[in-house]
Amino acid sequence: MADNTEVLLPIYEATVLWNGEEREVLVIAIGRRPLLGTALLDDQELVIQFTEGGLVTIDEL
């Protein structure tokens, strides 16, 4: 965790469609929403407009 606390959480395998290709990824089950790691963003550029209705773009480098 962000505060260096260690917790045990269930991890699941999932298949996601990423850039037109199926990829096997790990998903951590925490709270109500599953989390996908940022490993999907390897060799990508992520731009986020942190405002209501802001754009999120992901482009290959």
Side-chain angles (χ1 to χ4, degrees):
M1 306 300 291
D3 65 356
N4 287 332
T5 303
E6 291 186 25
V7 295
L8 296 176
L9 299 168
I11 298 176
Y12 300 90
E13 274 192 13
T15 304
V16 296
L17 187 60
W18 188 259
N19 287 333
E21 294 181 27
E22 287 189 357
R23 292 183 60 177
E24 297 295 320
V25 298
L26 297 178
V27 179
I28 301 170
I30 183 170
R32 286 194 229 170
R33 295 181 172 183
L35 300 176
L36 287 173
T38 57
L40 284 172
L41 297 173
D42 191 34
D43 294 326
Q44 307 289 316
E45 177 184 51
L46 171 65
V47 177
I48 302 172
Q49 295 177 342
F50 282 94
T51 186
E52 176 108 13
L55 296 176
V56 176
T57 58
I58 301 171
D59 293 307
E60 288 188 68
L61 293 175

